[in-house]
Amino acid sequence: VLPSHAEKYDGKLDFATLEAQYKIKDKVLLINCGIVLAVVVLLFFLSSVLKLHLTLSWIAILGFMTLVLLADTEMEPLLVHVEWGTLLFFAALFVLMHGLEKLGLIEWIGSVVVRIVALAPVEHRLTVGLLLLLWVSGFASAFVDNIPYTAAMCPVILHMAKDLDL
């Protein structure tokens, strides 16, 4: 068992101590979780190749539902541990990004960046584009969290790659 006070902890843990503290209570469920996780990750990678008409979110939801059925347990105790605030934050973030995309703001930002990079000589466009993205990212990270910024910049980078043929 781990010591309760940090000053007694010497930084060394052995496998036996960890195994004693965190026992696997249901080995069948562990194996089922591993199999479902492997299938979900495999479907994530193969969804575009196999032309599945399932989005990544539906694949994840189907994996979750499969685990709930295999676990043979009540849903209420599971839902108590869900971080609802985090889920709502990401849902709102994706709704906001979709709204900005529908408004044309993301496309406009991409076209402005493309025009700025297009002013550079052809042999230096990649360097100018990378430096512009680096400095804009550094500046924006002072005001905007990294996840929404990344979600906003992915279409901009795709727009740059398409129009400038970087």
Side-chain angles (χ1 to χ4, degrees):
V1 177
L2 288 174
S4 60
H5 296 83
E7 61 269 3
K8 294 179 184 177
Y9 179 62
D10 62 358
K12 296 179 183 173
L13 285 178
D14 60 349
F15 185 71
T17 305
L18 291 174
E19 192 174 29
Q21 188 174 5
Y22 301 107
K23 288 189 181 280
I24 296 173
K25 297 178 179 112
D26 190 350
K27 291 188 183 201
V28 173
L29 182 59
L30 176 67
I31 292 169
N32 287 341
C33 286
I35 292 169
V36 170
L37 178 65
V39 169
V40 166
V41 170
L42 185 68
L43 285 175
F44 280 168
F45 287 115
L46 296 178
S47 63
S48 61
V49 175
L50 298 177
K51 303 286 188 228
L52 298 175
H53 296 292
L54 292 173
T55 62
L56 298 180
S57 56
W58 275 109
I59 294 171
I61 289 171
L62 289 173
F64 167 74
M65 294 305 292
T66 304
L67 281 178
V68 168
L69 292 174
L70 290 174
D72 194 33
T73 186
E74 293 291 323
M75 280 292 287
E76 278 187 47
L78 296 175
L79 294 176
V80 169
H81 300 289
V82 173
E83 295 279 341
W84 292 108
T86 305
L87 287 177
L88 288 175
F89 167 75
F90 282 110
L93 172 69
F94 290 121
V95 168
L96 175 69
M97 293 311 303
H98 186 71
L100 292 176
E101 187 177 337
K102 288 292 183 184
L103 284 173
L105 183 65
I106 304 297
E107 186 74 24
W108 178 80
I109 292 171
S111 65
V112 168
V113 170
V114 165
R115 281 184 284 185
I116 292 171
V117 174
L119 295 174
V122 176
E123 63 271 6
H124 298 297
R125 283 187 182 167
L126 181 59
T127 305
V128 170
L130 290 173
L131 286 173
L132 182 65
L133 283 173
L134 178 71
W135 281 101
V136 168
S137 299
F139 181 74
S141 67
F143 305 103
V144 182
D145 190 41
N146 60 345
I147 295 172
Y149 179 75
T150 303
M153 289 309 287
C154 284
V156 171
I157 292 170
L158 291 173
H159 185 73
M160 283 177 58
K162 181 181 69 174
D163 286 357
L164 292 176
D165 201 22
L166 299 175

